[in-house]
Amino acid sequence: MKALTVQPLTSGSARLEDVDDPPESDGPVLVETLAVGVCGTDIEIVSGEYGWAPPGRDRLVLGHESLGRVLEAPAGASVASGDLVVGIVRRPDPVPCGNCAVGEWDFCRNGQYTERGIKSHDGYCSERYRIHPDFVVKLDRNLGPLGVLLEPTSVVAKAWEQVDRIGGRAQWDPHIVVVTGAGPIGLLAALIGVQRGLDVHVFDQVTTGTKPDLVQALGGTYHTGRIEHSCPHPDVVIECTGVASLVFDAMEHLGPGGVACLTGVSGGKHAIKVDASMLNRGMVLENQAVVGSVNANRRHYEAAAAALVAAPRPWLERLVTRRVPLEHWSEALQRQPDDVKVVIEVGGP
Ligand code: BGC
């Protein structure tokens, strides 16, 4: 079968090639891949900056944002032939640590977890894959091709859960949310904020095009300036860029008792000047919390599926700005100015 593979940490090594059928050891559920979304992590892997091949191998099958249709499943499994499904990305570590042992692999404590398409386990960008029923999530059929948005939505569903849990340490009635970055993660974080009835403000650099339009269509407010000028003291910040200056800006301007959740992963080294004493003083005197959040467990995939089903369909459709056939995969990995979510079409319909 065809698969998009890469030699991790080797720039320019990605290629479409014939690989063996998925191994039975990956699980009894056989899935036909329909589509795979592309995100910043994939671009980093293809650029040779991130990623691990499976043990004893040089190459990794790419792709962790998937959408597929079940071809075969054992009797009595949670999914059946014909179901629309998404594969969970992370697998618990083999020890397992306390968190992995209870299905909270997104909080793995020993770093020995694996991630499909990222860390030591083949991804989903192949014509078929196999999976254990515990790691496959069944989608509402009506979502159709938009189901490919489930994995990035699971990441923000987890971020919102962190905000809720930390906010809940005292009386918690947030109103104003700042989201930094209007990429797919930022826009999906904004969607969940709007679904909760919050006043959502999204900050990005572009002044025109799909991103401001999508924020307005949601009922949010789009800004290009600085947080301190247009939206000081939000109750919640969801940081989705990983840009160091924005991360500290968000921390510095958080409201009293506010929660800032960092989801963007910074690339490389980038030193900036920060007044650490003032930051510390503000955080202590105002009970602020800053939390990092990565990945998602099954509970977050399920919350994400509910958020997508409740979202306006035309809005979700506009989030997917390009669909590229598998043969032209390299076009999907080259960023274009008005891209939001780019999807590689692997099979289907
Ligand atoms: C994925 C996460 C993963 C993280 C770090 C993100 O792009 O969505 O599932 O945990 O990268 O590898």
Side-chain angles (χ1 to χ4, degrees):
M1 63 173 180
K2 295 247 175 304
L4 179 56
T5 70
V6 62
Q7 182 168 343
L9 307 185
T10 311
S11 161
S13 63
R15 62 173 185 243
L16 186 62
E17 62 176 334
D18 282 316
V19 299
D20 290 341
D21 273 358
E24 303 259 339
S25 56
D26 274 350
V29 180
L30 179 66
V31 181
E32 167 197 19
T33 309
L34 300 176
V36 166
V38 172
C39 82
T41 303
D42 299 304
I43 293 175
E44 266 189 65
I45 296 174
V46 166
S47 313
E49 290 160 25
Y50 194 60
W52 295 256
R57 301 234 317 262
D58 292 337
R59 300 186 72 82
L60 168 80
V61 175
L62 203 65
H64 62 278
E65 298 183 6
S66 67
L67 174 69
R69 191 184 297 122
V70 174
L71 292 173
E72 283 169 30
S78 50
V79 291
S81 175
D83 284 349
L84 212 53
V85 291
V86 167
I88 288 177
V89 176
R90 200 174 272 197
R91 296 292 173 277
D93 76 77
V95 176
C97 76
N99 287 326
C100 285
V102 296
E104 305 234 335
W105 51 74
D106 54 316
F107 271 90
C108 179
R109 298 190 60 172
N110 62 24
Q112 293 179 45
Y113 63 84
T114 57
E115 287 182 341
R116 293 203 67 158
I118 302 175
K119 185 171 185 275
S120 315
H121 196 158
D122 278 335
Y124 300 119
C125 199
S126 51
E127 289 178 290
R128 290 174 297 286
Y129 66 85
R130 282 191 171 274
I131 193 161
H132 191 277
D134 288 353
F135 297 102
V136 80
V137 181
K138 182 176 162 177
L139 287 179
D140 185 320
R141 207 169 279 274
N142 294 327
L143 268 180
L146 296 170
V148 74
L149 295 170
L150 187 69
E151 196 277 342
T153 312
S154 73
V155 167
V156 297
K158 171 177 172 181
W160 272 109
E161 185 193 80
Q162 304 312 299
V163 169
D164 289 342
R165 290 187 172 193
I166 296 164
R169 66 202 159 142
Q171 206 279 120
W172 179 238
D173 181 23
H175 293 290
I176 300 180
V177 183
V178 160
V179 175
T180 46
I185 293 290
L187 289 165
L188 290 165
L191 167 74
I192 295 183
V194 169
Q195 287 179 337
R196 291 165 163 229
L198 301 173
D199 179 9
V200 177
H201 297 259
V202 181
F203 287 73
D204 200 299
Q205 289 174 325
V206 294
T207 48
T208 55
T210 314
K211 291 178 176 181
D213 287 357
L214 282 169
V215 173
Q216 273 143 26
L218 263 187
T221 312
Y222 185 84
H223 305 267
T224 50
R226 301 209 34 195
I227 298 175
E228 62 180 303
H229 297 143
S230 5
C231 194
H233 319 306
D235 303 305
V236 176
V237 173
I238 313 262
E239 205 298 309
C240 306
T241 68
V243 175
S245 56
L246 286 177
V247 172
F248 281 94
D249 211 27
M251 284 161 66
E252 213 178 312
H253 297 104
L254 194 58
V259 182
C261 184
L262 313 182
T263 69
V265 183
S266 311
K269 287 189 184 154
H270 186 66
I272 58 163
K273 228 173 157 180
V274 177
D275 186 339
S277 327
M278 284 309 286
L279 193 61
N280 176 74
R281 191 182 159 84
M283 285 185 70
V284 172
L285 292 179
E286 301 206 318
N287 290 296
Q288 291 159 336
V290 178
V291 61
S293 179
V294 70
N295 196 254
N297 64 43
R298 178 173 272 280
R299 183 173 73 243
H300 307 124
Y301 279 80
E302 280 160 6
L308 289 180
V309 166
R313 198 182 166 97
W315 189 85
L316 290 179
E317 273 162 2
R318 288 179 67 197
L319 209 64
V320 180
T321 43
R322 276 198 294 141
R323 289 185 177 270
V324 175
L326 182 59
E327 298 69 48
H328 299 291
W329 60 272
S330 64
E331 291 168 22
L333 291 158
Q334 280 151 20
R335 281 206 169 107
Q336 289 182 10
D338 218 20
D339 278 347
V340 180
K341 176 53 71 188
V342 178
V343 167
I344 300 177
E345 290 190 320
V346 181

